[in-house]
Amino acid sequence: MPDDYRRTLIRQISQHAHSEVVGQLPEGNWITRAPTLRRKAILLAKVQDEAGHGLYLYSAAETLGASREEMLDQLLSGKAKYASIFNYATLSWADVGAIGWLVDGAAIVNQISLCRTSYGPYARAMVRICKEESFHQRQGYEIMMTLARGSKEQRAMAQDALNRWWWPTLMMFGPHDAESYHSQQSMHWKIKRQSNDELRQKFVNQTVPQADFLGLAIPDPELEWNEERGHYHFGEIDWEEFSRVIAGKGPMSRDRLEARRRAHEEGGWVREAALAYAEKQGTRAAA
Amino acid sequence: MSAALFEYTLRLGDDALIDGQRLSEWCGHGPFLEEDVGVANTALDLIGRARLLLAYAGTVEGKGRGEDDLAYTRDEREWRNVLITELPRGDFAFTTVRQFLLDAFNRQLYERLCLSLDATLAGIAGRAVKESEYHLRHTGEWVLRLGDGTRESNRRAQRALDDLWPYTAELFESDPVQEQMEAQGIAPATASLRAAWLHTVEPPLRSAQLMIPGNTWPQTGGRQGMHSEHMGFLLAEMQFVQRAYPGQAW
Ligand SMILES: [Fe+2]
Ligand SMILES: [Fe+2]
């Protein structure tokens, strides 16, 4: 395996793993406040799945010779990137719906394409993950549907969530193709199979009718069906905001990293205890 | 309706829900990723169990209250969970030792409830006993690792056990509701339950170099709705959406 190819894969897979792990936090913020017991159970199961996705992906990266510790260090020191979308705050229950519908929806578009990626263990992790992501998206859409069919206050809550999550979701697909160095490299190695702009367009095309069905307005005055091209034309992303959040200056960037660091630091004595116990057991078995 | 059966089922449901609520606070904040998955797993089982029990309590009551009415619109004095479940999650040792004590209790309780003359409770117990058996294996292993790990982990686990032990008496309290349920063959006798529970928790605690505190006085009140000051905050958080927007579907 060429060294550059291996390094690129480790970078992409570990970033993906970090995203799953940090991705537990925004929705996790609502588990204790979920408005029904059924919703609480579904949300808890979903966030648990994300932790599981993190585990499969770290394992896939480990097959390439990266250690979990190294990867974790990079996340906690702020060196490694993770999906910027998780640096936005969840302000209402509707955000849980919007994240499932839009963010998991966008993740599926990306990940379906990755099921054909050139590195086998990554592709296999993606196949497994994609199955669970579609359940995540359905539960999110179902929440949005319930709110959209609910009271005036609930509809306003749903619209507000869509307003806040729409653009950050489009940013999940990354910079325009022409500006994405990593993306071109990855396409060349067949790690990435479709370009950022292609995937973004695909997402917009499938999501606009879903918003229409909910009776919610996508916050983009330029959004319009283009008959000739057979797709939705949409407005330009605020690339300044994009760069700012990627650079770690999103509204929740500090909090997310801090939450991960705290969990890691507070867990230090637990990991030491587990290790010490295992060692004692080993000595006892040998004796 | 049977007032005692309603009350008894509510106690079981509230214990499961409040324990699950506290555990779910760990989601995304555990000491490592495998444990995030593990804790969420137990929390999910407990919340699932609470849903079945509260729904059944609502049916027994016969006033049209469902699981969510009972979970989201009762005020503090109407909650029947034991106090140990509502205590703040503390550190990982506190959560683990508490869960170990409760898993051992649930394991014994639901095994006996499988033989309940109330068919619905017996059915719920059939599933619950398998879950609690599994939870107990998990927390039992952790008690060993923490107690017999490092000095630091032993100190934390011992402190947790000291703090929690006085609350365990409440699990075996008797009162007219309990007596009536026992007399009707619906609930197991608390005395035999206590012996079986002690028999379950003592050996692992001993192997883990942890000492059961002597000379404690029992901390009780939950079954009468006399809670700790933590309960109000737990409810404020859990019930917030339903309280802010009453009477809506979610
Ligand atoms: Fe995921
Ligand atoms: Fe997901």
Side-chain angles (χ1 to χ4, degrees):
Chain A
M1 181 184 298
D3 234 28
D4 281 355
Y5 173 76
R6 196 178 66 91
R7 263 202 302 277
T8 303
L9 268 172
I10 290 179
R11 184 178 51 80
Q12 183 170 335
I13 299 173
S14 60
Q15 278 182 14
H16 193 161
H18 300 329
S19 303
E20 300 282 357
V21 171
V22 178
Q24 293 181 87
L25 299 171
E27 288 172 288
N29 183 38
W30 280 88
I31 291 173
T32 54
R33 291 178 290 171
T36 69
L37 295 183
R38 174 171 167 265
R39 294 280 181 218
K40 188 191 289 291
I42 293 174
L43 182 58
L44 189 51
K46 182 200 188 249
V47 176
Q48 185 195 31
D49 283 349
E50 307 301 6
H53 296 171
L55 279 175
Y56 315 150
L57 286 163
Y58 283 129
S59 306
E62 278 165 349
T63 62
L64 291 157
S67 83
R68 178 117 157 238
E69 219 145 54
E70 227 166 39
M71 292 187 275
L72 217 64
D73 270 355
Q74 286 179 339
L75 172 66
L76 299 180
S77 67
K79 258 191 253 150
K81 298 254 180 291
Y82 57 86
S84 295
I85 189 81
F86 301 123
N87 290 324
Y88 291 85
T90 49
L91 305 179
S92 80
W93 170 249
D95 288 27
V96 172
I99 290 181
W101 171 37
L102 300 173
V103 177
D104 288 273
I108 293 171
V109 169
N110 261 328
Q111 291 170 5
I112 285 198
S113 169
L114 285 173
C115 291
R116 296 180 293 130
T117 188
S118 53
Y119 184 60
Y122 190 25
R124 282 191 290 278
M126 279 301 117
V127 171
R128 199 165 157 191
I129 288 174
C130 274
K131 280 191 199 129
E132 294 178 349
E133 297 296 0
S134 60
F135 146 69
H136 298 173
Q137 195 198 15
R138 267 202 311 277
Q139 65 87 35
Y141 195 67
E142 202 203 320
I143 291 173
M144 293 305 275
M145 182 90 83
T146 308
L147 296 175
R149 305 250 159 103
S151 68
K152 213 174 106 197
E153 292 156 311
Q154 287 175 311
R155 271 197 303 281
M157 199 185 275
Q159 182 64 57
D160 177 55
L162 173 56
N163 293 349
R164 285 180 291 108
W165 290 95
W166 176 253
W167 290 106
T169 304
L170 293 192
M171 293 177 198
M172 284 172 72
F173 296 95
H176 282 312
D177 298 342
E179 272 127 64
S180 179
Y181 166 76
H182 284 318
S183 181
Q184 284 166 22
Q185 272 294 322
S186 296
M187 293 280 283
H188 174 71
W189 281 320
K190 296 193 167 32
I191 294 173
K192 206 168 154 59
R193 306 304 301 250
Q194 282 171 292
S195 79
N196 294 353
D197 286 324
E198 277 175 305
L199 292 168
R200 183 160 29 231
Q201 185 68 56
K202 197 171 159 196
F203 172 77
V204 172
N205 290 348
Q206 78 179 36
T207 308
V208 174
Q210 295 168 356
D212 289 345
F213 189 71
L214 293 172
L216 298 176
I218 287 178
D220 178 357
E222 285 186 45
L223 188 78
E224 177 176 64
W225 177 250
N226 184 320
E227 191 61 61
E228 212 172 295
R229 299 197 169 180
H231 70 211
Y232 282 95
H233 166 77
F234 55 95
E236 200 54 55
I237 286 172
D238 178 350
W239 294 109
E240 236 167 73
E241 177 180 334
F242 174 86
S243 312
R244 201 167 55 237
V245 181
I246 291 262
K249 294 173 188 159
M252 292 295 285
S253 302
R254 235 189 286 266
D255 296 62
R256 298 296 182 232
L257 221 50
E258 194 44 40
R260 286 315 309 166
R261 279 191 200 122
R262 201 180 321 121
H264 188 75
E265 277 164 22
E266 284 173 5
W269 68 269
V270 180
R271 295 188 299 273
E272 275 163 28
L275 215 64
Y277 179 75
E279 270 165 22
K280 283 187 206 174
Q281 290 305 98
T283 325
R284 277 172 202 154
Chain B
M1 87 149 184
S2 156
L5 180 58
F6 169 66
E7 184 73 19
Y8 183 70
T9 309
L10 205 54
R11 291 174 179 186
L12 298 176
D14 288 356
D15 284 351
L17 180 54
I18 301 303
D19 187 14
Q21 173 79 1
R22 278 298 185 211
L23 267 188
S24 74
E25 292 174 10
W26 279 96
C27 194
H29 305 280
F32 44 87
L33 210 45
E34 282 82 353
E35 208 39 41
D36 275 359
V37 175
V39 169
N41 208 50
T42 304
L44 261 174
D45 285 342
L46 290 168
I47 290 165
R49 185 182 303 174
R51 293 184 62 194
L52 296 172
L53 288 163
L54 292 180
Y56 182 50
T59 309
V60 171
E61 187 193 35
K63 290 185 184 162
R65 289 204 282 182
E67 57 180 72
D68 288 328
D69 298 305
L70 288 170
Y72 289 94
T73 62
R74 271 181 302 151
D75 202 356
E76 189 170 327
R77 295 281 281 114
E78 300 164 272
W79 283 80
R80 295 293 178 255
N81 54 289
V82 281
L83 301 178
I84 192 174
T85 58
E86 74 202 40
L87 301 175
R89 67 176 160 122
D91 64 5
F92 187 74
F94 189 87
T95 287
T96 302
V97 172
R98 162 167 59 193
Q99 203 52 44
F100 167 71
L101 298 172
L102 287 172
D103 291 341
F105 172 73
N106 287 329
R107 158 81 182 69
Q108 296 298 336
L109 170 70
Y110 283 104
E111 184 178 78
R112 286 163 177 73
L113 271 175
C114 289
L115 304 171
S116 173
L117 293 182
D118 184 282
T120 308
L121 286 183
I124 294 171
R127 180 176 134 178
V129 69
K130 284 186 212 118
E131 292 166 352
S132 289
E133 170 86 47
Y134 179 81
H135 302 162
L136 177 61
R137 214 174 319 144
H138 185 78
T139 49
E141 282 166 11
W142 268 114
V143 161
L144 283 175
R145 283 188 205 112
L146 297 186
D148 193 17
T150 61
R151 273 173 70 153
E152 163 86 349
S153 67
N154 176 276
R155 183 184 63 78
R156 287 177 185 256
Q158 184 63 57
R159 193 176 59 193
L161 187 62
D162 293 345
D163 289 345
L164 286 159
W165 194 260
Y167 289 91
T168 57
E170 196 178 14
L171 294 165
F172 309 101
E173 245 174 13
S174 201
D175 67 357
V177 170
Q178 177 67 33
E179 282 161 17
Q180 201 180 323
M181 290 293 100
E182 286 176 23
Q184 291 176 20
I186 291 175
T190 48
S192 76
L193 203 54
R194 178 147 206 283
W197 174 77
L198 268 176
H199 195 72
T200 313
V201 299
E202 272 175 349
L205 289 175
R206 208 174 308 122
S207 314
Q209 330 274 345
L210 296 171
M211 308 247 292
I212 292 176
N215 263 339
T216 63
W217 51 275
Q219 187 87 45
T220 71
R223 299 301 190 209
Q224 288 77 45
M226 301 280 282
H227 291 277
S228 67
E229 289 182 352
H230 306 293
M231 186 66 177
F233 291 96
L234 182 149
L235 292 179
E237 183 173 347
M238 185 169 82
Q239 298 178 336
F240 154 69
V241 179
Q242 291 260 5
R243 298 290 195 181
Y245 306 93
Q248 308 192 8
W250 299 94

